[in-house]
Amino acid sequence: EALLDVRGLTKSYDGWSKALGDVAMRVERGEFVSVIGSSGAGKSTLLRCANRLIDPTQGSVVFDGRNITHVRGRDLRQVRRRISMIFQHYNLVYRATSIENVLQGRLGYKSTVAGALGLFSESEKRRAFEALEQVGLADFAYTRTDQLSGGQKQRVGIARALVQDPLLILADEPIASLDPKSSRTVMEHLRWAADELGIACLVNLHQVDFALEFSDRIVGLKGGRLVFDGRPDELDEDT
Ligand code: ADP
Ligand code: ADP
């Protein structure tokens, strides 16, 4: 069975217009799927429904064999532990160091972490350091994240996602604020997580070239509708 199975997903924010209309798509375990489409196409809405940051208006979301469309409270927090998020603007705590931000992946995103290293066990700290090594930032583990470049900040975001031991990483425009070189590095690290760690990635992109290069599969959205679902080599430039 698919890791993520979305069916008939419809979302209306205002009660009449549809940000998403009857979208069906799946993500297999370890698969790298890009979602492409212009601004307003519904990409963020799809991701936010997938981890239930927002409730869909209609349709269902099945994750890891479990229907999560209506789960709440503790059950929802349990589901979210296996789904990591990566954001366009990184969502780091800038007065905290890289390793503190990575450890935040263990605590949940709302916690304040500056100076909180003492709260963690040696094995948790080792794991966080290992994740920073995996994204090439071992030398910056004890650097405050406001000192890092955009690409480095996003790699801290990836390390924070990895320490959650997720089954799925949801990345909402992770390279939209980065130059081409940093963008490529970030995409390579996500691709590595899929290939080497078996973590499925669902990545919103408006750069079609990166989607073509890095994805196993591409999902195209337009005006909230699914207009394409296939391999990169099947994508017709017109869609
Ligand atoms: P994107 O980065 O996907 O293009 P925007 O930058 O337009 O999205 O939106 C930034 C924030 O504003 C998001 O949190 C989104 O939920 C919210 N937003 C977007 N469109 C609207 C809208 N029409 N009404 C209210 N909030 C919106
Ligand atoms: P994308 O990520 O592809 O840019 P979004 O999912 O952010 O698309 O937006 C899809 C549509 O939903 C847009 O018309 C946007 O204005 C609207 N929208 C997004 N977030 C909100 C929100 N919080 N409130 C109202 N409308 C929203």
Side-chain angles (χ1 to χ4, degrees):
E1 88 206 328
L3 176 65
L4 180 72
D5 192 343
V6 162
R7 291 190 195 172
L9 203 66
T10 297
K11 175 67 185 179
S12 177
Y13 291 99
D14 57 14
W16 64 275
S17 70
K18 288 179 178 170
L20 276 185
D22 198 24
V23 168
M25 54 92 60
R26 295 161 163 231
V27 180
E28 305 296 333
R29 288 168 200 276
E31 191 180 27
F32 193 115
V33 180
S34 294
V35 183
I36 61 172
S38 53
S39 187
K43 305 183 296 296
S44 307
T45 301
L46 175 62
L47 255 61
R48 282 184 249 150
C49 286
N51 78 343
R52 292 287 321 289
L53 274 173
I54 56 173
D55 288 330
T57 307
Q58 275 170 45
S60 64
V61 181
V62 173
F63 173 72
D64 195 21
R66 180 173 181 191
N67 188 332
I68 64 163
T69 321
H70 301 294
V71 298
R72 303 201 169 273
R74 194 205 309 193
D75 289 340
L76 183 56
R77 285 194 294 278
Q78 194 182 19
V79 169
R80 291 229 184 99
R81 247 177 251 143
R82 307 311 302 277
I83 303 179
S84 297
M85 286 288 291
I86 292 176
F87 308 91
Q88 176 178 353
H89 299 294
Y90 325 119
N91 287 26
L92 301 176
V93 178
Y94 288 116
R95 62 201 159 73
T97 61
S98 301
I99 195 161
E100 286 168 335
N101 273 278
V102 172
L103 284 161
Q104 194 188 15
R106 293 280 192 185
L107 291 174
Y109 292 116
K110 297 254 164 66
S111 329
T112 309
V113 289
L117 265 189
L119 295 175
F120 294 93
S121 69
E122 284 309 313
S123 75
E124 283 175 311
K125 283 186 254 192
R126 267 200 305 279
R127 176 74 186 91
F129 190 80
E130 180 194 34
L132 284 166
E133 281 180 320
Q134 287 170 332
V135 297
L137 288 179
D139 291 344
F140 296 89
Y142 300 98
T143 305
R144 269 174 59 139
T145 52
D146 54 6
Q147 305 298 310
L148 302 177
S149 71
Q152 290 170 329
K153 287 185 178 113
Q154 194 58 290
R155 281 145 67 193
V156 173
I158 295 174
R160 178 179 59 190
L162 295 179
V163 296
Q164 260 183 266
D165 294 324
L167 295 169
L168 175 65
I169 290 177
L170 298 176
D172 197 357
E173 299 282 0
I175 59 174
S177 306
L178 302 178
D179 61 73
K181 189 159 173 281
S182 309
S183 296
R184 171 166 298 280
T185 306
V186 163
M187 292 298 287
E188 283 169 355
H189 284 297
L190 290 172
R191 184 70 242 189
W192 176 87
D195 289 340
E196 299 301 319
L197 306 178
I199 300 171
C201 295
L202 183 59
V203 183
N204 284 354
L205 293 172
H206 61 255
Q207 301 91 330
V208 179
D209 48 342
F210 280 112
L212 288 171
E213 181 176 348
F214 286 95
S215 317
D216 296 315
R217 201 151 52 75
I218 296 176
V219 167
L221 292 178
K222 194 171 191 174
R225 294 270 167 187
L226 190 107
V227 292
F228 178 79
D229 184 346
R231 292 193 316 269
D233 62 344
E234 296 168 331
L235 182 69
D236 178 350
E237 290 300 332
D238 303 336
T239 39

